[in-house]
Amino acid sequence: MMGGGMLFRIVAFALAVLTLALPILGGPLAGSGIGISPYLANIIGQIATFALLAIALDLIWGFAGVLSLGHGLFFALGGYLIAMHMLKDGYVNAGVVPDLMTFMGWTDLPGYWAFFESFPYAAALILILPGLLAFAYGWMSFRSRVSGVYFAIITQALTYVAMLLMFRNDTGFGGNNGMTGFVSLLGLQMGAPQTAVWLATASTAATLVAFLLCGRLVRSPYGRMLIAVRDDEARLRFLGYDPVWPKLAAWTLSGVIAAIAGALYVPQVGIINPRLLSPEVSIEIAVWVALGGRGTLSGAVIGAVVISALKFWLTGFAPDLWPFILSLLVLLVVVGLPNGLTDLRLPFWRRARDDR
Amino acid sequence: MPLIRALIFLAALIGSPAYADRAALSSALCAGSVVEQVTALRALAEAGAAGGADEATWALAVVDAVEARSLRCTPTGAFIGEGPDALDAATLAPAPAPVDAVAMPINNRLRAAAASAAAALTLFSDADPTARAKAAAALERRREALSLPILDAALAQETDAAVLAVLQPLRARMMLADPDPDNRIRAIEAIAAEATLRNRTLIEEALTDEPEPSVQAAGAAAIAQIDRQVAIGQGLSTLYSGLSYASVLLLAALGLAIIFGLMGVINLAQGEFIMIGAYAAWFVQNAIRAVMPGLIDWYLIVALPVSFLAAALVGVVMEALVLRRLYDRPLMTLLATWAVSLLLINLVRVTIGTQNLEFHQPFYVVGGIPVVGDFIVTLNRLFAIAIAALAFVGVVLVLRFTTFGLNMRAVAQNRAMAGAAGIDARRTDRMAIALGSGLAGLAGVALAPLYNVNPNMGTGFIVDSFMVVVLGGVGSLAGAVLASFGIGQINVIMEPLYGAVAAKVVVLLLVIAFIQRRPEGLFAPKGRR
């Protein structure tokens, strides 16, 4: 296994260093020569949530062989739930009337917004709702052996329908304007420099935890079972194993991790709208994983970091160029590097790949 | 005044009868009150209607003079124009007007009545049917100088269908105000013969101050009849637009199913191949407009093979550069074809722009055939349905009766065995990709006259066409047809009730529920999984 993989350790180490260094570099050292600006901290934090999202997808695609083209759905679900918490909190505690109420001419928020001012309630929902959604859909699909391309396409359709639903203004989720104008989260004032640093730290920490946890998981006997499902599900069935439950567990866990990533992402960008549910976003997640190399967790993290850093950098001065670069990059990787960057046979990568 | 009238009357007795009438009719315009003048205008129109084309031409000249403010009144009769160049209104012969001639005063009410009379007279004097149709339409708006005898005379001599189509309902509407209840009932029945919401309002308005119970009953029955027909018409037009949406879906989904059935490749760029087909049609239009402007109406027909080939070419290039290397990794083809679609959208966006393209609408896609109620078989939708039907028949024929079709079925059933039997599987793949992409190109031509054509047009179709493929099962043409009609109909039936989103949600839930039972689709090929 890749347990002893050098690359795995390097990525874990980098994440740990980042988690420890961010509060110092962005806190006491901010403004000095080696300190980082809140803007940079914010970018690092966003990229960390993408890495977390990529880990979620790699768990299910790289290890169980189930491609989801709808992980944006879970990501956005987490994002919407945390946005609802922040808006309700601002409404109840700071008296800021959410835009969506003004827009729809409502005097109060709809009933399903109840209790959202409580963070524990919202946090619980962020874990439970995506989990339930993933479980229900996974149970229906895996039980009737819907797999491969069929499964991928239906996840995409599901996300597409969710996008259409969220674009409606009367659903009470902000419609096409989405939700914005957040005041604070857990006492942290939005827009304050320290908030950006803390949110970024939380994101790298969460990514580190998920990375280690998933690494542990795929090395366990359960992980071997997952890999067996990926490599030959029919044979596993003939050997007397039921592949439904391992797949379902990984799928549900993956959905929950994606939702946590979304809940960390939205406070950092300060807005959520249905465009997060567009098919492009979901496919881009798969591109990160494919580029970094499936089934190596570290590859997912590296793919997400490389592509999203490239995107941040490029969209700054040549936004029109990005779709071309992205599509050519995908074609290049898909055709030329079937296992992503792992195929480049760089010194560190080679070990990881041989381990697999 | 009575003296003048007597004199005119006397003059009429002395002169030839026709001219005498004309003198009386034209002089009546010089009467004092507006009411009398309007009556005089109507009398002129009626005289023109009764007296044949000659009389109508004369009356029209006089009415035109009223409209043009060139009618001059004298105690002895009316003149057109001033001074020595004037004409006698009764004879239209040159006759210097006396110096004491005064211009006939004209106000808005008179002008409206004159316009109405002119329109009525045009119906009798103009040989050009389009001019008469225009006059009939004007008469429908301005009824000041209109009377039943005029309409009846016009209906009796009219031969042009378009003019009749305006005049007949107009007569029915005039009859609604007839003093005889039986005539009113007949009018209501005549109006109800054409079941439109406009006629329904017309009858409703007439019934509001209708004293006669029998007329009220007839009106209620007529409204019920219109309601029934309108409902049938609405149902039919829903089915019809579902049918046209389904045919575009079918075109896109057939291509998808062929490629997927053969190679296990899902082409996420299929929507963009539709877009390429539509853009190719646009280029064909521009080329024809530049080279042979006279044949511009036929560009959609010329575009059919061009768009097919354009999309097929892109498909073949995609196969050669990308898909060929991915046949053993079907999930990767999803990413690859998605990248191709992103590339195509942005290439078109950068080179041609994001605006909606403008298409010339040839006569065979404009308008429609009214059937019942508000249901019109619109020709642009019929065009899409016809293309889909022809393409479907073509695909069936290719699959059943050509060597290529035989090879394709063989490769789809068992690639290795087909190869062993000497079939070049790779070549078959290439041709299947060309066929599948070309079908999407045809969908682009079908959409050009009825849809916004822009770089993003394909994205909306991709999800629905996949649902068709999933539901219809792979490699089954019957399944694809049934599924696209089902999904097309659900979409249009749900949309007006619960909105476009709900339609998509329902389709998706149905599909998810459906594949629980039959994961391989409606018409799965039999065999082990």
Side-chain angles (χ1 to χ4, degrees), chain B residues 490-514:
Chain B
I490 290 177
N491 260 305
V492 294
I493 290 173
M494 296 287 299
E495 246 181 62
L497 297 178
Y498 307 104
V501 183
K504 294 264 187 296
V505 172
V506 165
V507 169
L508 186 74
L509 292 181
L510 275 182
V511 167
I512 291 179
F514 181 80

Side-chain angles (χ1 to χ4, degrees), chain A residues 22-49:
Chain A
L22 263 177
I24 300 167
L25 292 181
L29 289 180
S32 73
I34 56 163
I36 55 172
S37 64
Y39 174 73
L40 186 60
N42 181 260
I43 301 255
I44 292 174
Q46 285 186 39
I47 293 181
T49 62

Side-chain angles (χ1 to χ4, degrees), chain A residues 3-346:
Chain A
M6 179 87 116
L7 193 65
F8 188 85
R9 288 186 197 159
I10 293 176
V11 171
F13 182 71
L15 282 171
V17 168
L18 209 55
T19 308
L20 291 175
L22 263 177
I24 300 167
L25 292 181
L29 289 180
S32 73
I34 56 163
I36 55 172
S37 64
Y39 174 73
L40 186 60
N42 181 260
I43 301 255
I44 292 174
Q46 285 186 39
I47 293 181
T49 62
F50 295 153
L52 185 56
L53 186 54
I55 291 172
L57 186 65
D58 197 23
L59 183 67
I60 188 71
W61 186 24
F63 291 95
V66 176
L67 173 59
S68 158
L69 290 183
H71 255 46
L73 178 62
F74 301 111
F75 190 67
L77 189 55
Y80 267 107
L81 289 170
I82 197 79
M84 285 169 82
H85 162 65
M86 288 190 286
L87 278 193
K88 187 77 187 283
D89 175 51
Y91 182 48
V92 173
N93 297 323
V96 180
V97 178
D99 284 345
L100 69 105
M101 277 171 66
T102 330
F103 191 69
M104 298 297 295
W106 287 340
T107 51
D108 202 0
L109 288 163
Y112 43 82
W113 281 69
F115 312 121
F116 261 99
E117 63 274 20
S118 142
F119 181 78
Y121 175 76
L125 280 191
I126 287 170
L127 299 179
I128 293 168
L129 276 188
L132 277 181
L133 178 67
F135 182 85
Y137 173 64
W139 186 69
M140 289 205 294
S141 308
F142 298 144
R143 200 191 42 143
S144 46
R145 298 182 195 175
V146 176
S147 60
V149 180
Y150 269 61
F151 184 89
I153 288 305
I154 295 173
T155 53
Q156 190 186 24
L158 212 57
T159 313
Y160 182 73
V161 167
M163 176 176 80
L164 293 181
L165 204 63
M166 284 304 183
F167 264 122
R168 292 187 63 122
N169 286 326
D170 53 7
T171 49
F173 299 107
N176 55 358
N177 297 315
M179 299 184 198
T180 186
F182 308 130
V183 181
S184 68
L185 177 65
L186 287 174
L188 293 167
Q189 290 304 306
M190 289 292 142
Q194 275 311 301
T195 305
V197 173
W198 283 118
L199 284 174
T201 311
S203 303
T204 53
T207 308
L208 175 65
V209 171
F211 186 67
L212 293 175
L213 238 158
C214 290
R216 197 71 184 269
L217 198 66
V218 297
R219 281 195 300 274
S220 69
Y222 166 74
R224 286 174 191 282
M225 180 95 123
L226 269 190
I227 293 170
V229 168
R230 174 190 72 188
D231 290 345
D232 200 332
E233 189 174 336
R235 181 178 295 178
L236 195 68
R237 217 178 279 135
F238 295 147
L239 289 174
Y241 292 94
D242 183 3
V244 170
W245 292 106
K247 265 164 102 175
L248 195 50
W251 170 250
T252 309
L253 179 62
S254 172
V256 173
I257 296 177
I260 295 173
L264 286 165
Y265 171 76
V266 166
Q268 302 194 60
V269 286
I271 184 168
I272 181 159
N273 61 39
R275 269 167 282 280
L276 217 49
L277 287 161
S278 72
E280 287 99 273
V281 173
S282 292
I283 294 182
E284 225 177 294
I285 306 168
V287 171
W288 299 335
V289 178
L291 183 90
R294 284 164 301 141
T296 63
L297 292 182
S298 3
V301 173
I302 292 169
V305 169
V306 168
I307 298 188
S308 42
L310 200 64
K311 186 177 181 178
F312 270 116
W313 180 60
L314 267 177
T315 47
F317 63 87
D320 286 343
L321 211 56
W322 175 246
F324 289 99
I325 292 180
L326 181 65
S327 53
L328 292 176
L329 204 63
V330 172
L331 288 176
L332 199 74
V333 167
V334 161
V335 173
L337 310 171
N339 296 303
L341 294 175
T342 332
D343 278 345
L344 287 180
R345 300 187 179 278
L346 300 171

Side-chain angles (χ1 to χ4, degrees), chain B residues 80-93:
Chain B
I80 298 173
E82 271 178 305
D85 301 330
L87 307 173
D88 186 338
T91 59
L92 295 184

